[in-house]
Amino acid sequence: MGCSYQFPLPAVAGGAFDSASISPLVPIVLARSFEIDGQQPAQLGDFAALFAEAIAGWASGNDIVFGANAVPAGAMLVFDITLYAALSGVNTPVLRFSNLQLKLTDIDAN
C-alpha cells in the first residue's frame, strides 16, 4: 500500500491549472507486505492509524494544509493498494486499486 502527494504545476508561461498542467507525484509512505489476520479485526484499525499518522507527519513536516484552505488548488493524495491472498502457499494478487485520488480539500483539517 502506498500513498503519494500529487500537485499541479502551471505552464512555464504562467496561467491557470488545466488538463495540460504537469502533476508530479511525490512519495509519502509505503507499507510493504504485511499480514492481517481476519480473526483479529483490530489489526486493520491499528494499521490504518499508523498509516494515517505517517501521512499526517509528512504533511506537517512539509507545510501541507488539508481542508478548505488547501494550496495549491487541485492537490491530492493518491493511493495504490494491492491485496494478496496466501492460497496454498502462493501469494496471488486478488485485488488491485491504483490511482485512488483524494483531494486535499476533501480531507477534514481537524
Side-chain angles (χ1 to χ4, degrees), residues 1 34-37 40-50:
M1 181 167 178
F34 57 92
E35 291 185 26
I36 293 181
D37 184 348
Q40 303 291 326
Q43 287 182 355
L44 187 56
D46 293 343
F47 166 75
L50 289 171

Side-chain angles (χ1 to χ4, degrees), residues 5 28 55-56 58-66 70-72 75 77 104:
Y5 173 67
I28 296 174
I55 294 168
W58 178 88
S60 175
N62 289 283
D63 298 324
I64 304 298
V65 177
F66 299 130
V71 177
L77 298 179
L104 296 189

Side-chain angles (χ1 to χ4, degrees), residues 37-105:
D37 184 348
Q39 302 300 317
Q40 303 291 326
Q43 287 182 355
L44 187 56
D46 293 343
F47 166 75
L50 289 171
F51 201 73
E53 184 179 309
I55 294 168
W58 178 88
S60 175
N62 289 283
D63 298 324
I64 304 298
V65 177
F66 299 130
N69 297 321
V71 177
M76 63 184 69
L77 298 179
V78 179
F79 297 89
D80 292 303
I81 303 166
T82 303
L83 177 65
Y84 292 86
L87 305 170
S88 304
V90 178
N91 285 333
T92 305
V94 294
L95 188 60
R96 180 170 287 152
F97 295 107
S98 61
N99 201 32
L100 294 172
Q101 301 174 351
L102 178 60
K103 294 178 183 178
L104 296 189
T105 54

